[in-house]
Amino acid sequence: MGPGVIFRGHLPDDIADALARAGARLDAFTDLSWHDEVGSTNDLAMAAATSGAREGLVIAANAQSSGRGRLGRSWASPPDAGLYVSVVLHPSRDALSLITIAAGVAVAEGIEAASGLRAGVKWPNDVYAGTRKLAGILAEAGASAFGEHVVLGFGINLQPAALPPEVAERATSIESELGRRVDRGLVLAECLAALASRYEALQHQRGYEVLAAWRSRAAQHLGKAVEWDEGDGLRRGIAHDIDTTGALLIRVDNRIVRVISGEVRWVS
Ligand code: BTN
């Protein structure tokens, strides 16, 4: 971690060792706390940001009792089966629109660097191994007397776990894909290092690098049929690309429709 990093809580040895080995690649992070169990790391990070936490604060946990996912869903976070991590950032206005795209790329890159497992992304920022979800990202923006902030939370499935049936059939984990143990500390360290690098690109007007990396990891999901709900009914089209703001471009007949948020379902 960076020269001024403050560790809070007791870091398990595997986590501490991997973070130490990553050295200067984690200099962007200022403060890391590890918890056996929390409600939601995003809630803790948001509270810290609202109280003036600096950019680079990381809150990581071995379990969450009320992990949250996108679109108001819950995120199953059983102990020892995943990594549950939130980071406080203070992005520039320009960096903001691609922040969740960058996070998806970084988590996929981190998983691959740590384990060798090829990880793809699916709009906006789900991380997949083949056709099953491996990790998810929840980005939440806030503002306080100290300015504007974003909390980027990511949950990575490390091991098979008892998940609710509707999640289990669409989910996978790094270890079930590879059939062997992985070093969770290394997964954490590589994801943070990749996030630091992709975030630095965004902050320095190099969003095009992030877009190119996203496209190469999203290839399996582009050119495929999708459907989504609009106020007046269900729409269908072909996922085409993302634009420079991170919106999904969908071809519908001869038109391109921009979808900026919400749920898009892949139907093929
Ligand atoms: C999704 O795919 O729906 C997003 C899941 C995000 C889960 C992570 S786990 C760490 C952080 N804390 C939370 O409560 N949620 C995010």
Side-chain angles (χ1 to χ4, degrees):
M1 304 292 284
V5 68
I6 302 164
F7 292 108
R8 299 184 198 280
H10 171 72
L11 254 63
D13 288 348
D14 58 334
I15 300 283
D17 289 352
L19 295 176
R21 283 198 308 272
R25 295 166 66 220
L26 300 184
D27 274 358
F29 301 98
T30 52
D31 181 309
L32 184 142
S33 63
W34 176 268
H35 306 260
D36 287 337
E37 180 171 323
V38 297
S40 156
T41 57
N42 260 39
D43 290 348
L44 290 186
M46 192 54 88
T50 304
S51 307
R54 285 188 296 164
E55 173 158 283
L57 175 122
V58 182
I59 294 180
N62 189 47
Q64 299 182 116
S65 54
S66 0
R68 295 187 290 107
R70 291 181 61 238
L71 307 171
R73 298 187 181 119
S74 61
W75 182 260
S77 311
D80 301 320
L83 280 172
Y84 315 107
V85 185
S86 298
V87 181
V88 173
L89 298 173
H90 295 281
S92 66
R93 276 282 150 94
D94 285 350
L96 203 53
S97 64
L98 286 181
I99 200 113
T100 67
I101 296 288
V105 168
V107 169
E109 289 174 335
I111 289 171
E112 195 164 322
S115 71
L117 177 64
R118 177 69 188 166
V121 292
K122 182 173 168 185
W123 188 86
N125 51 23
D126 289 340
V127 178
Y128 269 66
T131 58
R132 287 174 173 248
K133 184 160 164 174
L134 197 56
I137 288 144
L138 178 65
E140 298 180 297
S144 73
F146 301 94
E148 295 177 353
H149 51 261
V150 167
V151 168
L152 264 187
F154 53 92
I156 301 175
N157 301 331
L158 292 172
Q159 297 181 13
L163 297 174
E166 69 279 7
V167 177
E169 67 187 24
R170 289 178 288 108
T172 190
S173 67
I174 302 177
E175 293 191 1
S176 42
E177 291 296 317
L178 293 174
R180 61 172 167 80
R181 297 301 302 264
V182 289
D183 177 342
R184 66 177 181 164
L186 190 57
V187 175
L188 175 62
E190 289 297 333
C191 287
L192 289 175
L195 182 61
S197 162
R198 292 301 181 184
Y199 181 63
E200 204 254 348
L202 284 191
Q203 291 283 67
H204 292 88
Q205 291 76 46
R206 301 198 319 276
Y208 57 88
E209 292 179 5
V210 172
L211 290 170
W214 189 90
R215 287 185 180 111
S216 80
R217 287 187 184 268
Q220 121 185 54
H221 291 112
L222 297 177
K224 300 282 167 56
V226 292
E227 63 181 26
W228 74 103
D229 295 306
E230 279 198 358
D232 54 352
L234 192 67
R235 298 289 158 86
R236 280 179 168 257
I238 303 291
H240 175 62
D241 196 2
I242 54 172
D243 69 12
T244 54
T245 69
L248 182 66
L249 302 176
I250 302 175
R251 186 179 296 284
V252 180
D253 302 325
N254 289 325
R255 289 178 306 125
I256 293 288
V257 176
R258 254 180 105 240
V259 175
I260 55 172
S261 64
E263 184 168 51
V264 172
R265 293 176 293 280
W266 265 253
V267 292
S268 63

